[in-house]
Structure formats: structure tokens, C-alpha cells
Amino acid sequence: MRRERTAVYLLFFLAGAAIGTWTARIPAVKERLGLGEGEFSLALLAIAAGAVIGMTAVGRLVDRHGSHRVMVPAALVQGLALVPAAYAGSLVALAAALLVFGIAHGVLDVAMNANAVAVERAHGRPVMSSFHAVFSIGGFAGSGLGGLSAHAGLSPAVTFWTAGAVIAALALWAARWAMRPPPDPGAGRAGEGGLPKGTLFLGVLAFCCLVGEGAAADWSSVYLREDLGSSPGFAAAGYAAFSIMMTAGRLAGDRLAARFGPVPLVRCCGLLAAAGLGLALLAGHPVAGVAGFGCFGAGLSCIVPQVFSAAGRRDPAFAGRALARVASIGYLGFLSGPVLIGAAGEMAGLPRALAVPALLAAFVALAATALRAREPATR
């Protein structure tokens, strides 16, 4: 089990590292092509569109052929798909390269989470949160690699070739150790569109959580700077606190889930997230705002891993399709959340708009019983 768990750790790390590497070199790619913010946002939209396409299309392949046969090729493609982006000579070429990158990321996301569920089931104890923590650590590592490359004056092409080679080598290494769960002919009573009952509601819970993650990423610094009057440097501390506490919470999440169970854990996490963001909005002081966003990150940290774990456990025969549905619905929350918060902020002010993620976190706490384990019924 140690090797099989390590293989999943590697793939989560590589997925995060690829995203982090790309994010760090965005300014250089944008400058090389001479694109404005509006034009470049269209290229970034290609990643989001590709991820949704990959997530929605891969579930049946995972269930039919096994997650291990899907996740390693997806990791290879994701690692190498950034290379064409460095050579793209136009907005269309860049968008096409990023679309492929997004599709590979979406496919890898579902497949590696399905394999993680199988590893967790074989372990007999919670391990999902630690996998998601490693994804965050990979993002930090990729951002560090990209930042060092930029500081050294290296081109995006050199950065992406280096990252792609490392990702490809580690993905092939992970393939040797990955768990190979066979396609499960066992069945459960199908609910929504052939999926286990309750899958759509789990997707709603993921949506609520990822709205908060997207809002914190895009609006925490703006709130601290413009509404609380902090300095630009201190404003960035809001999202830093959110990210650090989310990673720390996920590192502790497996022990907490084993001790208390997923339902009490998600209920407490939802309440902590709601209270933390509420503190950031009500206290009206930059220090309290940073502390509140830190608590918000700690609260959200364990929710999505537990939701994904619950979706994959409902019925092994539908694990890939269930995770694909939940992940795609949740990812839509991450994409649409910042846009909706921005629109609401224009009409009612940003503090009132940011109350929406706090209310959604409270809703997740109230609906935590949806994660209660259910034994799949035999056809």
C-alpha cells in the first residue's frame, strides 16, 4: 500500500505543479504575444473550458478501463501540453494549446481522484485529504520553479520543457507503483442518469465550497485593499493566509476524519469557514481580515476531499462517472463564483457580496449528513 499511495501522491503533486508552473509564467507569455488583458482572458478561458470537457467526458472511460490506465497518460499530456504554449505565435494558437492542457487536467483530476478512492478503500481509513494537500504543495513548487526561472531570465519555453520532462519522468515512475483496480462489475441502484443516488447533491456541496475558493483567490486582496484600506503588500496576505491554512487543514484532515467521521468533520469545517469569513467581513480591520480568511481556508480545506471520497464510495461500479459529475459541478462553482461575486459587489458592495460564500459554507454544514456512507445495493 505504501507504493500505491506514493503513486497517487506523485500524480496529485504533478497536477498541482503543472498549474503552478503555468501561472508563474503567465506574464512572460502575455508579454511575448503582446496581448491585452481582455484578449489574454480568452486564452485563459480555454483552460477552464478544456477542464470541464475533460471532466465530463472521462468518467465512463475510468469505469470501463480502470483509473490507472487513464491517469498516467493524462499526466504525461498535461506536463507536455504547456510546451506548445511557449511557442504559440497568436492568440488562437495559444488558446488551442491551453485547451489541450485544460482537457488533460480535467481528465487527470477525475482519474487520480478515482484511484485515490480505491487506495483509500484498500487502506480502510481516510487518506483523501492528504492527497489534496499534496496537490496544493505541488502548486507551490511549480510556482517556485516558474518564479526562479523568470528571475534567472529563462524563457517560458525552457521552463515548460524542464517542467514537462520532470512531470513525464515522475508520471512514468508512478505508473509502476499505481494501484490497478479492475473495472468493477458490481452494481448499485442507479439514481440520477445511471449514477448512485445523491451524486448530484454532492456536486452541489462541491459547488458551494469551490465558490468560496474562487472568491478568496480573486477578491480577498481587493477587499483588504479597497474596503479595509490596507497596503498592497498586506492585502496579499489575505490569500496567502487562506492558502497556507487550507494546506495545513488538509494535512490534518485524514486524522480528523478517522477520529470523528466525515459528517462531523464537514459540519465543523463548514461552520468554521462561515465564522471565519464572517469575522473578516464584520471586524472591519485588516489584521482581523487576514485572520478571517485564514480561518475560511482552514474551514474549506477538508470539505472537497470528503465530498469526493463520498462520491467515489457510493458505488465502485460508477466511481469514475460519479466523480466526473461532482468535479465538473464543483469546478463550475470555482469558475462562476468570482464572476458572480464581482457582479453582486457592483450592486451591493463587496462586503455584502462576500457574505454569499459564508452563507454557502453554512449551508454545507447543515447538509453534511449527505456524506453519510451508504452501502451500494446489488442489482
Side-chain angles (χ1 to χ4, degrees), residues 22-341:
W22 159 248
T23 302
R25 300 315 314 261
I26 282 177
V29 174
K30 179 175 175 294
E31 181 180 0
R32 189 181 69 82
L33 290 175
L35 299 176
E37 282 74 12
E39 292 176 307
F40 197 75
S41 65
L42 295 176
L44 296 179
L45 185 62
I47 296 180
V52 173
I53 292 171
M55 288 175 180
T56 55
V58 74
R60 194 173 297 275
L61 289 175
V62 170
D63 291 336
R64 181 177 298 173
H65 302 291
S67 56
H68 61 287
R69 292 191 176 95
V70 178
M71 63 185 185
V72 174
L76 292 172
V77 173
Q78 185 189 26
L80 296 174
L82 283 178
V83 174
Y87 297 100
S90 66
L91 174 62
V92 173
L94 178 63
L98 295 181
L99 180 69
V100 175
F101 177 78
I103 291 173
H105 178 72
V107 170
L108 176 59
D109 189 277
V110 172
M112 69 186 183
N113 272 287
N115 199 265
V117 169
V119 170
E120 184 177 60
R121 191 164 56 241
H123 255 278
R125 60 185 178 87
V127 293
M128 183 65 80
S129 287
S130 62
F131 292 136
H132 285 252
V134 170
F135 177 87
S136 300
I137 294 171
F140 293 143
S143 298
L145 171 65
L148 290 174
S149 299
H151 181 73
L154 300 177
S155 68
V158 173
T159 305
F160 295 157
W161 273 114
T162 303
V166 173
I167 289 171
L170 292 178
L172 292 173
W173 186 12
R176 298 176 55 198
W177 290 355
M179 174 175 279
R180 292 166 169 76
D184 196 331
R189 188 171 57 186
E192 306 98 348
L195 296 175
K197 286 189 174 180
T199 300
L200 287 179
F201 191 70
L202 291 175
V204 171
L205 297 184
F207 179 92
C208 294
C209 184
L210 290 173
V211 164
E213 289 193 31
D218 287 8
W219 293 109
S220 58
S221 298
V222 176
Y223 170 71
L224 288 168
R225 177 76 178 111
E226 298 183 0
D227 291 271
L228 299 187
S230 65
S231 66
F234 193 83
Y239 186 64
F242 175 88
S243 301
I244 292 170
M245 292 304 295
M246 171 166 280
T247 303
R250 286 178 170 174
L251 289 172
D254 291 333
R255 292 189 295 273
L256 294 174
R259 181 171 182 178
F260 300 107
V263 173
L265 175 60
V266 168
R267 181 172 290 123
C268 291
C269 282
L271 293 174
L272 175 61
L277 187 53
L279 170 67
L281 298 176
L282 296 175
H285 192 279
V287 174
V290 172
F293 277 108
C295 292
F296 187 52
L300 294 184
S301 62
C302 297
I303 296 177
V304 166
Q306 295 305 315
V307 169
F308 280 17
S309 179
R313 291 196 313 263
R314 288 290 167 90
D315 191 336
F318 291 97
R321 277 165 281 187
L323 282 165
R325 180 68 58 87
V326 171
S328 58
I329 294 174
Y331 196 67
L332 288 175
F334 186 80
L335 296 175
S336 64
V339 177
L340 297 175
I341 296 300

